[in-house]
Amino acid sequence: MIVTIIQLILFTFYVSFIWVKYGIQKSLSESWYTLESKYKWMFGVTLCFGIGILHCTHGTILFFLSGAALCFVGAASDYRSKRTTKIVHYCGAIIAMLTSVIGLCQLGVYWPTVVILFSILIFPILENRFWWIEIIIFYSVIIGIMTSL
């Protein structure tokens, strides 16, 4: 439970920092480009590696793969620079999300899947839909893990 609380704090800290300092972004990944040089480390360390490495400790292979994939997102944070970096970044993000949701379903926690699917269906009308969908995914997964403990 302590690991998920730390993940929740790290995620909330990062999103709050971005929102207060730079405003709502197109996506969480896009926030890396908004960060000033002295803050760029926050995307990888706080959002990707901090949450990703902790995610690997939740006890199933799917959560381990999800955490590792999230670390790849952080390693490929400059996804606009090269085609291969973009592929690694997007594949890491998709794998992280899917393996977390499947892992929760294996534990019998289905509500995050419903919330995530609902947000994907409803939020396309919003300008910054990926920002909101990604936030919902992160919170749903972290809180879903908390409810499974």
Side-chain angles (χ1 to χ4, degrees):
M1 178 70 96
I2 224 147
V3 170
T4 51
I5 291 170
I6 293 169
Q7 287 180 299
L8 195 61
I9 290 168
L10 287 172
F11 183 70
T12 301
F13 169 76
Y14 183 79
V15 170
S16 298
F17 177 81
I18 295 296
W19 196 341
V20 168
K21 188 151 180 74
Y22 304 103
I24 296 169
Q25 302 297 302
K26 290 181 182 178
S27 69
L28 291 172
S29 297
E30 194 70 26
S31 69
W32 186 83
Y33 292 100
T34 306
L35 288 166
E36 299 163 51
S37 299
K38 64 182 178 182
Y39 297 124
K40 288 225 185 263
W41 63 270
M42 290 177 65
F43 180 82
V45 173
T46 306
L47 184 65
C48 298
F49 294 105
I51 294 171
I53 290 169
L54 292 174
H55 211 60
C56 292
T57 67
H58 289 307
T60 71
I61 188 67
L62 289 172
F63 290 133
F64 180 85
L65 291 172
S66 177
L70 191 55
C71 289
F72 276 98
V73 172
S77 53
D78 186 11
Y79 63 91
R80 292 182 193 165
S81 65
K82 296 178 184 168
R83 185 172 181 266
T84 52
T85 307
K86 186 175 188 172
I87 291 168
V88 169
H89 184 89
Y90 284 122
C91 286
I94 291 166
I95 291 167
M97 181 198 68
L98 289 176
T99 52
S100 281
V101 170
I102 294 167
L104 284 169
C105 288
Q106 276 189 332
L107 296 175
V109 182
Y110 301 103
W111 68 263
T113 306
V114 174
V115 170
I116 291 165
L117 290 174
F118 183 74
S119 72
I120 290 169
L121 292 173
I122 297 300
F123 283 5
I125 61 173
L126 296 177
E127 182 181 342
N128 300 324
R129 65 186 163 272
F130 293 112
W131 166 268
W132 295 111
I133 291 169
E134 289 170 342
I135 288 173
I136 287 173
I137 291 168
F138 268 96
Y139 277 126
S140 295
V141 167
I142 293 169
I143 295 168
I145 291 170
M146 288 174 133
T147 62
S148 74
L149 300 176

